[in-house]
Amino acid sequence: LSGVTRERFLRDIYPRRKPVVLTGMELGTCTTKWTVDYLSQAEGSKEVKIHVSTVPQMDFLSKNFVYRTLPFDVFVRRAAEVNHQEYFLSEDEKYYLRSVGEDPRKDIADIRKQFPVLAKDVQIPEYFEKEQFFSSVFRISSAGLHLWTHYDVMDNFLIQVTGKKRVVLYSPRDAPYLYLSGTKSEVLDVDNPDMEKYPLFAKAKRYQCFLEAGDVLFIPALWFHNVISEEFGVALNVFWKHLPAESYDKTDTYGNKDPIAASRAIQILDRALKTLEELPEEYRDFYARRMVLRIQEKAYRNDYG
């Protein structure tokens, strides 16, 4: 959708809770200014912690990457090239920066604090109230990098400043088919999944979009997304609190810890399942099925098509 105003977004798009690509947004000078040369000199040689991987498909569950530290200017130049003269693991290794707070365990990512010079070039679409702001995450990816499928618990805008991305999305209600481990899916290759290992994945309905420089993707909370950088590119994610502030885990600096009530409910369910273990198998099976029905009756939305 082109040139969507804040009013139209809040009235027509936001309440539908579906992903939408917004084009023609006023994002500031970053879309023209952020060349490799400008980026590398703008923030100088401050140290950044980056992911380095020998394969394009990064897997957070098996941790097929290493963390390394580089001066920002060196990192930008390396991420922009395909083959490296200097490298950590292999000459065609991939790089990924996801900015974090000063102390990642306590502080959120905020481009204004971590990259103040670059922050001046960006006009973030403030389609939410100031007090709802949670974080602004600065991201730089090598060409070809695939980021694992995951969900976040807050609404966010993925602002593609330079380069191109392909984003594959799945609805929250397809969670049963995505083989989840926490907030992440075990299915790494969404284009060529291993159907013997993940047979239910065929039931998940795939949505796909392509982001060009200057495009903004609205990703509602709980929507799964898998991001492929088709070119070297720079992006900025802005997360905001869609639920009342007290709903969120205070120790969450990444925006991916389940809301407090959800975590509590899962703990209670785990206790209930442990209690069922006191029964013989046929009883356990019978009462577990009744519990599933009860959850469906009480908690499932019935307005899904």
Side-chain angles (χ1 to χ4, degrees):
L1 292 172
S2 181
V4 173
T5 61
R6 176 186 167 125
E7 292 68 34
R8 189 181 161 209
F9 178 77
L10 292 175
R11 185 188 68 226
D12 302 338
I13 299 167
Y14 197 46
R16 293 177 58 217
R17 315 293 304 149
K18 298 265 173 72
V20 174
V21 178
L22 307 169
T23 61
M25 307 274 282
E26 187 45 66
L27 300 173
T29 56
C30 55
T31 48
T32 49
K33 249 173 136 174
W34 285 7
T35 60
V36 172
D37 285 342
Y38 175 76
L39 286 168
S40 54
Q41 58 87 21
E43 293 284 352
S45 57
K46 69 167 73 171
E47 301 259 286
V48 285
K49 190 176 181 184
I50 52 169
H51 302 66
V52 183
S53 175
T54 55
V55 293
Q57 273 166 338
M58 292 178 66
D59 180 359
F60 194 82
L61 296 172
S62 73
K63 295 281 196 297
N64 65 347
F65 53 83
V66 295
Y67 292 105
R68 292 289 182 267
T69 305
L70 278 177
F72 184 71
D73 51 356
V74 175
F75 158 68
V76 170
R77 294 196 179 283
R78 279 216 214 166
E81 60 191 24
V82 178
N83 288 308
H84 315 291
Q85 299 287 294
E86 293 179 40
Y87 50 86
F88 295 108
L89 307 169
S90 66
E91 61 180 30
D92 60 350
E93 65 194 14
K94 306 287 181 196
Y95 298 97
Y96 170 55
L97 165 71
R98 186 246 190 246
S99 66
V100 292
E102 279 67 30
D103 179 346
R105 286 167 311 203
K106 294 196 192 114
D107 306 316
I108 50 115
D110 186 341
I111 189 173
R112 293 166 299 189
K113 292 180 182 162
Q114 286 100 41
F115 299 93
V117 179
L118 295 175
K120 293 191 182 89
D121 301 336
V122 187
Q123 191 177 313
I124 291 171
E126 293 197 354
Y127 286 21
F128 47 88
E129 300 302 322
K130 278 209 170 4
E131 60 274 14
Q132 287 179 285
F133 170 83
F134 175 69
S135 66
S136 48
V137 180
F138 184 60
R139 301 181 190 271
I140 298 183
S141 310
S142 291
L145 187 86
H146 294 215
L147 211 54
W148 53 85
T149 305
H150 66 285
Y151 71 87
D152 301 296
V153 299
M154 293 184 199
D155 291 342
N156 78 89
F157 281 145
L158 172 55
I159 302 165
Q160 191 63 28
V161 181
T162 70
K164 293 180 184 174
K165 277 200 175 79
R166 173 166 68 100
V167 185
V168 176
L169 301 116
Y170 300 94
S171 158
R173 64 180 171 196
D174 280 346
Y177 316 132
L178 296 180
Y179 297 87
L180 294 184
S181 176
T183 61
K184 296 155 188 77
S185 167
E186 290 179 19
V187 186
L188 269 194
D189 190 343
V190 293
D191 295 323
N192 300 292
D194 181 340
M195 296 317 272
E196 278 187 23
K197 197 172 179 188
Y198 307 117
L200 293 175
F201 187 68
K203 293 187 176 188
K205 185 178 177 187
R206 172 194 179 111
Y207 298 83
Q208 180 170 285
C209 64
F210 293 88
L211 301 182
E212 304 272 339
D215 288 349
V216 177
L217 172 62
F218 167 51
I219 306 176
L222 310 182
W223 272 79
F224 295 89
H225 44 288
N226 176 288
V227 183
I228 297 108
S229 297
E230 302 210 317
E231 302 173 341
F232 163 77
V234 184
L236 184 66
N237 261 126
V238 184
F239 292 87
W240 67 91
K241 295 171 184 171
H242 163 58
L243 306 176
E246 61 275 13
S247 307
Y248 299 101
D249 187 322
K250 294 277 181 288
T251 65
D252 186 6
T253 57
Y254 285 84
N256 63 5
K257 285 192 179 177
D258 292 316
I260 294 167
S263 298
R264 215 167 52 232
I266 289 165
Q267 285 171 356
I268 294 165
L269 176 64
D270 285 342
R271 282 208 299 277
L273 292 170
K274 196 147 186 62
T275 309
L276 276 189
E277 286 174 17
E278 295 170 21
L279 293 165
E281 189 181 28
E282 65 181 303
Y283 284 82
R284 199 162 64 227
D285 180 282
F286 175 69
Y287 287 103
R289 287 173 195 274
R290 286 189 59 189
M291 283 166 71
V292 169
L293 286 172
R294 203 169 165 81
I295 289 171
Q296 284 179 338
E297 283 163 19
K298 294 277 187 191
Y300 276 27
R301 283 173 63 174
N302 55 13
D303 60 346
Y304 281 142

